[in-house]
Amino acid sequence: MCGVKETISDQAQKLWLQWVEAAFPKLDSRAYFLPPVYVNRVPMTRQSVAGQEILVLESEPKQAGENNHSPVQNSDIRDDEAFQRVFLYLQKKSEENNEVLVVLSQFRFGQYLSEPCYAAATAQLPMAKNLPNSSSRDRQGEFDMLVIHRLYGFVVCEVKALGKNLKESKMTDLELQDNIRKKLRDAVSQLDKAEAMLSHLVSDIAPGLRITKTIAVPNLKTCQVQQAISGDPKLLEDLCQCLRTNQVDIICSEQLSESKTPQDVSNDMETNLGNWWQRHVAGAEPDSHMTDVVYRTLVARRQQ
């Protein structure tokens, strides 16, 4: 039986690699984004108003006695805007610097080799469902942004949209700081869970592959983040331990485009985020675990 299972896995792996070579013919020389454009989770349609095209939220069909108000749309819109700004920057950077990488957006743990037709081939592989010493909650989740870099291994980014429309929310400074601290604690927990899952999933391919973790808060300034964590030594310690840095250095609004014009990345913003990338990703030596074969295998498995 062991021989049969190994043969099935080997055959599946060969097919997956063949598929990758056909689907991504320039995998070794350019960046790929999956999906290739950021897809908003909030459905919107284009309408013409006063001669101009605008985006309008789609309303679900009304039921008897119901209105069309959705309680989650505002938060979903904020999340979409925040994700899009990080996504667009990665696209711009990869094009200008000829980065060789693959970026997956909102990739759920359970999507990994999830097709039923692969059940026999994946029976002996590390899967989300068989993460050791874990609860069902640990086995569920997603990578907000997962970068597979040809030289530097993985970069996992947790995106938090807190800080949008602060004036309208009438939130006090103390309330804002409390919210920032809560979101950062959540991000630490989610990143640590994502790292444990990612290490498990690739343990049969490249155990020890580098995983760089970061947090993006596109609507907050660096000074706001620093002020919030300055009065919480435990949070500061947890952040530094999670991010493996001596000081908290995450992606803030100064490094990203404005939400109203996400495509416009200024030279200052590009320099700021480029410096961050150099400090935390490109400044390290290439990861020796990441060979051509490992890179192709990782991409192949993510897409099945």
mmCIF file of all heavy atoms in Angstrom, residues 49-79:
data_model
loop_
_atom_site.group_PDB
_atom_site.id
_atom_site.type_symbol
_atom_site.label_atom_id
_atom_site.label_comp_id
_atom_site.label_asym_id
_atom_site.label_seq_id
_atom_site.Cartn_x
_atom_site.Cartn_y
_atom_site.Cartn_z
ATOM 1 N N VAL A 49 -23.836 58.779 -13.616
ATOM 2 C CA VAL A 49 -24.540 59.828 -12.875
ATOM 3 C C VAL A 49 -23.992 61.167 -13.320
ATOM 4 O O VAL A 49 -22.788 61.416 -13.221
ATOM 5 C CB VAL A 49 -24.350 59.655 -11.347
ATOM 6 C CG1 VAL A 49 -25.028 60.808 -10.612
ATOM 7 C CG2 VAL A 49 -24.927 58.327 -10.887
ATOM 8 N N ALA A 50 -24.862 62.029 -13.833
ATOM 9 C CA ALA A 50 -24.467 63.362 -14.308
ATOM 10 C C ALA A 50 -23.327 63.265 -15.317
ATOM 11 O O ALA A 50 -22.395 64.067 -15.301
ATOM 12 C CB ALA A 50 -24.075 64.251 -13.137
ATOM 13 N N GLY A 51 -23.393 62.247 -16.164
ATOM 14 C CA GLY A 51 -22.397 62.106 -17.217
ATOM 15 C C GLY A 51 -21.090 61.475 -16.782
ATOM 16 O O GLY A 51 -20.154 61.353 -17.569
ATOM 17 N N GLN A 52 -21.018 61.043 -15.521
ATOM 18 C CA GLN A 52 -19.795 60.405 -15.026
ATOM 19 C C GLN A 52 -20.097 58.999 -14.521
ATOM 20 O O GLN A 52 -21.154 58.760 -13.939
ATOM 21 C CB GLN A 52 -19.167 61.227 -13.888
ATOM 22 C CG GLN A 52 -18.623 62.571 -14.337
ATOM 23 C CD GLN A 52 -17.902 63.278 -13.196
ATOM 24 O OE1 GLN A 52 -18.175 63.011 -12.035
ATOM 25 N NE2 GLN A 52 -16.988 64.158 -13.544
ATOM 26 N N GLU A 53 -19.142 58.091 -14.768
ATOM 27 C CA GLU A 53 -19.304 56.724 -14.275
ATOM 28 C C GLU A 53 -18.845 56.633 -12.829
ATOM 29 O O GLU A 53 -17.777 57.125 -12.468
ATOM 30 C CB GLU A 53 -18.493 55.737 -15.126
ATOM 31 C CG GLU A 53 -19.154 55.407 -16.447
ATOM 32 C CD GLU A 53 -18.555 54.166 -17.078
ATOM 33 O OE1 GLU A 53 -17.504 53.703 -16.596
ATOM 34 O OE2 GLU A 53 -19.137 53.659 -18.048
ATOM 35 N N ILE A 54 -19.684 56.037 -11.987
ATOM 36 C CA ILE A 54 -19.320 55.838 -10.588
ATOM 37 C C ILE A 54 -19.595 54.390 -10.211
ATOM 38 O O ILE A 54 -20.346 53.680 -10.889
ATOM 39 C CB ILE A 54 -20.117 56.764 -9.649
ATOM 40 C CG1 ILE A 54 -21.621 56.471 -9.761
ATOM 41 C CG2 ILE A 54 -19.831 58.221 -9.946
ATOM 42 C CD1 ILE A 54 -22.453 57.194 -8.716
ATOM 43 N N LEU A 55 -18.956 53.935 -9.121
ATOM 44 C CA LEU A 55 -19.196 52.603 -8.598
ATOM 45 C C LEU A 55 -20.287 52.668 -7.537
ATOM 46 O O LEU A 55 -20.232 53.491 -6.625
ATOM 47 C CB LEU A 55 -17.917 52.020 -7.996
ATOM 48 C CG LEU A 55 -16.814 51.683 -8.995
ATOM 49 C CD1 LEU A 55 -15.555 51.264 -8.248
ATOM 50 C CD2 LEU A 55 -17.258 50.578 -9.939
ATOM 51 N N VAL A 56 -21.276 51.798 -7.665
ATOM 52 C CA VAL A 56 -22.407 51.776 -6.749
ATOM 53 C C VAL A 56 -22.534 50.382 -6.157
ATOM 54 O O VAL A 56 -22.399 49.380 -6.869
ATOM 55 C CB VAL A 56 -23.719 52.161 -7.475
ATOM 56 C CG1 VAL A 56 -24.907 52.097 -6.512
ATOM 57 C CG2 VAL A 56 -23.594 53.541 -8.090
ATOM 58 N N LEU A 57 -22.800 50.324 -4.840
ATOM 59 C CA LEU A 57 -22.970 49.027 -4.184
ATOM 60 C C LEU A 57 -24.177 48.304 -4.754
ATOM 61 O O LEU A 57 -25.239 48.894 -4.944
ATOM 62 C CB LEU A 57 -23.168 49.212 -2.675
ATOM 63 C CG LEU A 57 -21.992 49.749 -1.874
ATOM 64 C CD1 LEU A 57 -22.422 49.980 -0.434
ATOM 65 C CD2 LEU A 57 -20.843 48.765 -1.926
ATOM 66 N N GLU A 58 -24.003 47.016 -4.999
ATOM 67 C CA GLU A 58 -25.127 46.203 -5.421
ATOM 68 C C GLU A 58 -25.972 45.868 -4.206
ATOM 69 O O GLU A 58 -25.454 45.519 -3.146
ATOM 70 C CB GLU A 58 -24.652 44.902 -6.070
ATOM 71 C CG GLU A 58 -24.072 45.088 -7.461
ATOM 72 C CD GLU A 58 -23.742 43.759 -8.102
ATOM 73 O OE1 GLU A 58 -24.031 42.717 -7.468
ATOM 74 O OE2 GLU A 58 -23.193 43.760 -9.196
ATOM 75 N N SER A 59 -27.274 45.963 -4.346
ATOM 76 C CA SER A 59 -28.169 45.613 -3.256
ATOM 77 C C SER A 59 -28.730 44.222 -3.478
ATOM 78 O O SER A 59 -29.051 43.842 -4.604
ATOM 79 C CB SER A 59 -29.333 46.613 -3.164
ATOM 80 O OG SER A 59 -28.844 47.906 -2.905
ATOM 81 N N GLU A 60 -28.848 43.471 -2.400
ATOM 82 C CA GLU A 60 -29.458 42.163 -2.509
ATOM 83 C C GLU A 60 -30.959 42.340 -2.697
ATOM 84 O O GLU A 60 -31.552 43.313 -2.237
ATOM 85 C CB GLU A 60 -29.175 41.348 -1.253
ATOM 86 C CG GLU A 60 -27.704 41.036 -1.075
ATOM 87 C CD GLU A 60 -27.477 40.167 0.136
ATOM 88 O OE1 GLU A 60 -28.483 39.832 0.797
ATOM 89 O OE2 GLU A 60 -26.322 39.843 0.426
ATOM 90 N N PRO A 61 -31.620 41.387 -3.367
ATOM 91 C CA PRO A 61 -33.074 41.499 -3.571
ATOM 92 C C PRO A 61 -33.795 41.623 -2.241
ATOM 93 O O PRO A 61 -33.487 40.943 -1.272
ATOM 94 C CB PRO A 61 -33.421 40.177 -4.267
ATOM 95 C CG PRO A 61 -32.142 39.725 -4.891
ATOM 96 C CD PRO A 61 -31.060 40.199 -3.975
ATOM 97 N N LYS A 62 -34.758 42.523 -2.206
ATOM 98 C CA LYS A 62 -35.517 42.738 -0.975
ATOM 99 C C LYS A 62 -36.461 41.573 -0.716
ATOM 100 O O LYS A 62 -37.081 41.036 -1.626
ATOM 101 C CB LYS A 62 -36.337 44.027 -1.080
ATOM 102 C CG LYS A 62 -35.523 45.296 -0.936
ATOM 103 C CD LYS A 62 -36.451 46.491 -0.920
ATOM 104 C CE LYS A 62 -35.665 47.790 -0.771
ATOM 105 N NZ LYS A 62 -36.569 48.958 -0.742
ATOM 106 N N GLN A 63 -36.547 41.197 0.542
ATOM 107 C CA GLN A 63 -37.583 40.274 0.970
ATOM 108 C C GLN A 63 -38.724 41.117 1.547
ATOM 109 O O GLN A 63 -38.550 42.283 1.905
ATOM 110 C CB GLN A 63 -37.037 39.321 2.042
ATOM 111 C CG GLN A 63 -35.848 38.487 1.566
ATOM 112 C CD GLN A 63 -36.251 37.510 0.479
ATOM 113 O OE1 GLN A 63 -37.377 37.008 0.487
ATOM 114 N NE2 GLN A 63 -35.345 37.245 -0.446
ATOM 115 N N ALA A 64 -39.868 40.492 1.688
ATOM 116 C CA ALA A 64 -41.012 41.233 2.204
ATOM 117 C C ALA A 64 -40.697 41.807 3.582
ATOM 118 O O ALA A 64 -40.242 41.087 4.472
ATOM 119 C CB ALA A 64 -42.233 40.299 2.291
ATOM 120 N N GLY A 65 -40.911 43.104 3.739
ATOM 121 C CA GLY A 65 -40.698 43.744 5.024
ATOM 122 C C GLY A 65 -39.251 44.055 5.341
ATOM 123 O O GLY A 65 -38.941 44.436 6.466
ATOM 124 N N GLU A 66 -38.342 43.886 4.373
ATOM 125 C CA GLU A 66 -36.928 44.134 4.625
ATOM 126 C C GLU A 66 -36.448 45.302 3.790
ATOM 127 O O GLU A 66 -36.985 45.581 2.723
ATOM 128 C CB GLU A 66 -36.090 42.897 4.285
ATOM 129 C CG GLU A 66 -36.353 41.708 5.199
ATOM 130 C CD GLU A 66 -35.448 40.546 4.866
ATOM 131 O OE1 GLU A 66 -34.704 40.657 3.870
ATOM 132 O OE2 GLU A 66 -35.486 39.530 5.580
ATOM 133 N N ASN A 67 -35.421 45.972 4.282
ATOM 134 C CA ASN A 67 -34.797 47.017 3.489
ATOM 135 C C ASN A 67 -33.502 46.478 2.908
ATOM 136 O O ASN A 67 -33.140 45.325 3.118
ATOM 137 C CB ASN A 67 -34.569 48.290 4.312
ATOM 138 C CG ASN A 67 -33.673 48.033 5.511
ATOM 139 O OD1 ASN A 67 -32.778 47.202 5.472
ATOM 140 N ND2 ASN A 67 -33.939 48.780 6.590
ATOM 141 N N ASN A 68 -32.774 47.299 2.202
ATOM 142 C CA ASN A 68 -31.572 46.859 1.500
ATOM 143 C C ASN A 68 -30.290 47.218 2.238
ATOM 144 O O ASN A 68 -29.237 47.256 1.650
ATOM 145 C CB ASN A 68 -31.520 47.464 0.088
ATOM 146 C CG ASN A 68 -32.301 46.616 -0.896
ATOM 147 O OD1 ASN A 68 -32.678 45.502 -0.583
ATOM 148 N ND2 ASN A 68 -32.538 47.172 -2.073
ATOM 149 N N HIS A 69 -30.374 47.497 3.526
ATOM 150 C CA HIS A 69 -29.182 47.891 4.251
ATOM 151 C C HIS A 69 -28.427 46.661 4.723
ATOM 152 O O HIS A 69 -28.999 45.759 5.327
ATOM 153 C CB HIS A 69 -29.550 48.763 5.463
ATOM 154 C CG HIS A 69 -30.191 50.058 5.062
ATOM 155 N ND1 HIS A 69 -29.542 51.006 4.307
ATOM 156 C CD2 HIS A 69 -31.440 50.538 5.303
ATOM 157 C CE1 HIS A 69 -30.344 52.045 4.116
ATOM 158 N NE2 HIS A 69 -31.499 51.776 4.699
ATOM 159 N N SER A 70 -27.136 46.617 4.446
ATOM 160 C CA SER A 70 -26.296 45.508 4.891
ATOM 161 C C SER A 70 -25.443 45.967 6.059
ATOM 162 O O SER A 70 -24.775 46.990 5.969
ATOM 163 C CB SER A 70 -25.385 45.027 3.757
ATOM 164 O OG SER A 70 -24.425 44.133 4.261
ATOM 165 N N PRO A 71 -25.426 45.228 7.197
ATOM 166 C CA PRO A 71 -24.664 45.667 8.372
ATOM 167 C C PRO A 71 -23.156 45.521 8.229
ATOM 168 O O PRO A 71 -22.404 46.002 9.072
ATOM 169 C CB PRO A 71 -25.196 44.753 9.474
ATOM 170 C CG PRO A 71 -25.640 43.526 8.757
ATOM 171 C CD PRO A 71 -26.169 44.002 7.432
ATOM 172 N N VAL A 72 -22.692 44.845 7.204
ATOM 173 C CA VAL A 72 -21.248 44.612 7.098
ATOM 174 C C VAL A 72 -20.612 45.343 5.919
ATOM 175 O O VAL A 72 -19.414 45.298 5.734
ATOM 176 C CB VAL A 72 -20.949 43.102 6.963
ATOM 177 C CG1 VAL A 72 -21.423 42.364 8.197
ATOM 178 C CG2 VAL A 72 -21.613 42.515 5.713
ATOM 179 N N GLN A 73 -21.408 46.023 5.135
ATOM 180 C CA GLN A 73 -20.857 46.606 3.916
ATOM 181 C C GLN A 73 -19.776 47.643 4.184
ATOM 182 O O GLN A 73 -18.756 47.662 3.499
ATOM 183 C CB GLN A 73 -21.974 47.219 3.076
ATOM 184 C CG GLN A 73 -22.733 46.184 2.254
ATOM 185 C CD GLN A 73 -23.723 46.818 1.311
ATOM 186 O OE1 GLN A 73 -24.142 47.959 1.505
ATOM 187 N NE2 GLN A 73 -24.103 46.095 0.288
ATOM 188 N N ASN A 74 -19.962 48.514 5.171
ATOM 189 C CA ASN A 74 -18.972 49.556 5.429
ATOM 190 C C ASN A 74 -17.616 48.965 5.793
ATOM 191 O O ASN A 74 -16.576 49.396 5.287
ATOM 192 C CB ASN A 74 -19.458 50.486 6.549
ATOM 193 C CG ASN A 74 -20.549 51.427 6.076
ATOM 194 O OD1 ASN A 74 -20.668 51.690 4.879
ATOM 195 N ND2 ASN A 74 -21.347 51.921 7.011
ATOM 196 N N SER A 75 -17.607 47.978 6.670
ATOM 197 C CA SER A 75 -16.341 47.362 7.057
ATOM 198 C C SER A 75 -15.725 46.601 5.889
ATOM 199 O O SER A 75 -14.504 46.592 5.712
ATOM 200 C CB SER A 75 -16.545 46.424 8.248
ATOM 201 O OG SER A 75 -17.442 45.379 7.919
ATOM 202 N N ASP A 76 -16.575 45.960 5.086
ATOM 203 C CA ASP A 76 -16.058 45.236 3.921
ATOM 204 C C ASP A 76 -15.444 46.188 2.903
ATOM 205 O O ASP A 76 -14.419 45.880 2.288
ATOM 206 C CB ASP A 76 -17.174 44.425 3.250
ATOM 207 C CG ASP A 76 -17.552 43.192 4.057
ATOM 208 O OD1 ASP A 76 -16.788 42.843 4.972
ATOM 209 O OD2 ASP A 76 -18.603 42.597 3.778
ATOM 210 N N ILE A 77 -16.067 47.344 2.725
ATOM 211 C CA ILE A 77 -15.520 48.341 1.800
ATOM 212 C C ILE A 77 -14.171 48.827 2.288
ATOM 213 O O ILE A 77 -13.216 48.963 1.511
ATOM 214 C CB ILE A 77 -16.502 49.529 1.645
ATOM 215 C CG1 ILE A 77 -17.780 49.075 0.931
ATOM 216 C CG2 ILE A 77 -15.847 50.664 0.869
ATOM 217 C CD1 ILE A 77 -18.875 50.110 0.927
ATOM 218 N N ARG A 78 -14.051 49.097 3.593
ATOM 219 C CA ARG A 78 -12.764 49.525 4.148
ATOM 220 C C ARG A 78 -11.690 48.451 3.931
ATOM 221 O O ARG A 78 -10.551 48.761 3.588
ATOM 222 C CB ARG A 78 -12.911 49.848 5.637
ATOM 223 C CG ARG A 78 -13.704 51.106 5.929
ATOM 224 C CD ARG A 78 -13.509 51.544 7.366
ATOM 225 N NE ARG A 78 -14.020 50.555 8.312
ATOM 226 C CZ ARG A 78 -15.270 50.551 8.779
ATOM 227 N NH1 ARG A 78 -16.133 51.471 8.362
ATOM 228 N NH2 ARG A 78 -15.655 49.646 9.650
ATOM 229 N N ASP A 79 -12.074 47.203 4.157
ATOM 230 C CA ASP A 79 -11.126 46.102 3.956
ATOM 231 C C ASP A 79 -10.686 46.030 2.499
ATOM 232 O O ASP A 79 -9.504 45.860 2.203
ATOM 233 C CB ASP A 79 -11.753 44.763 4.365
ATOM 234 C CG ASP A 79 -11.894 44.626 5.867
ATOM 235 O OD1 ASP A 79 -11.265 45.421 6.591
ATOM 236 O OD2 ASP A 79 -12.640 43.737 6.316
#
